[in-house]
Amino acid sequence: KDLQTPPAAIQTRLRLSSGIKALHIETLHLADERPFAFETRWLNTNAVPEFESAPLDELSINEWLVKTVPFSNGDVTFSAINANKKIASALDCDLDRALLRIDRTTWLGDTFITAMKLYHKENFQLYSKI
């Protein structure tokens, strides 16, 4: 597993001390064998040491985290972005295509657990019944 020093903006957002490393993961989500979402995630393996034995061949990292790791607070941001070259390639869509991006960060006390960005392909709809 490849631990990396997150970019300065990520370090600041996650309140990480300089030089602290985190696991960077990219995941392509498929439906009917076609891409519908692309995820980039930073995971604080110091806060989640049991990740080393996570059965990611059976569960997605998100599903495993929700079932395994407690959190005390978090935040979610919804925004629209234009697909850059990497995201357009992953989602098999046009460069600069308007996409929905969901950013979510979770914490346990003052310790960052995970931060992710989920890019949804055009025509994605988020539905909630109230």
Side-chain angles (χ1 to χ4, degrees), residues 54-60 63:
L56 298 182
D57 56 332
E58 299 171 21
L59 300 172
S60 71
E63 188 175 358

Side-chain angles (χ1 to χ4, degrees), residues 1-4 22-24:
K1 308 216 164 101
D2 184 29
L3 294 177
Q4 302 174 21
L23 183 64
H24 187 244

Side-chain angles (χ1 to χ4, degrees), residues 33-105:
E33 299 184 26
R34 294 183 310 214
F36 76 91
F38 177 66
E39 176 183 328
T40 63
R41 179 184 296 269
W42 289 95
L43 176 69
N44 182 353
T45 56
N46 291 327
V48 188
E50 59 269 46
F51 177 75
E52 203 53 44
S53 61
L56 298 182
D57 56 332
E58 299 171 21
L59 300 172
S60 71
I61 185 170
N62 189 66
E63 188 175 358
W64 180 83
L65 284 165
V66 167
K67 289 182 174 187
T68 309
V69 181
F71 66 92
S72 59
N73 60 323
D75 57 57
V76 177
T77 304
F78 299 91
S79 57
I81 62 112
N82 292 331
N84 64 25
K85 188 174 181 179
K86 181 176 188 170
I87 296 167
S89 176
L91 291 176
D92 192 25
C93 69
D94 294 335
L95 184 65
D96 292 328
R97 171 71 69 182
L99 305 174
L100 171 66
R101 184 177 84 190
I102 301 172
D103 295 62
R104 187 182 71 234
T105 304

Side-chain angles (χ1 to χ4, degrees), residues 34-37 91-93 97-100 119-127:
R34 294 183 310 214
F36 76 91
L91 291 176
D92 192 25
C93 69
R97 171 71 69 182
L99 305 174
L100 171 66
Y119 303 88
H120 287 278
K121 197 166 181 174
E122 70 272 11
N123 299 322
F124 174 78
Q125 292 183 343
L126 182 62
Y127 173 78

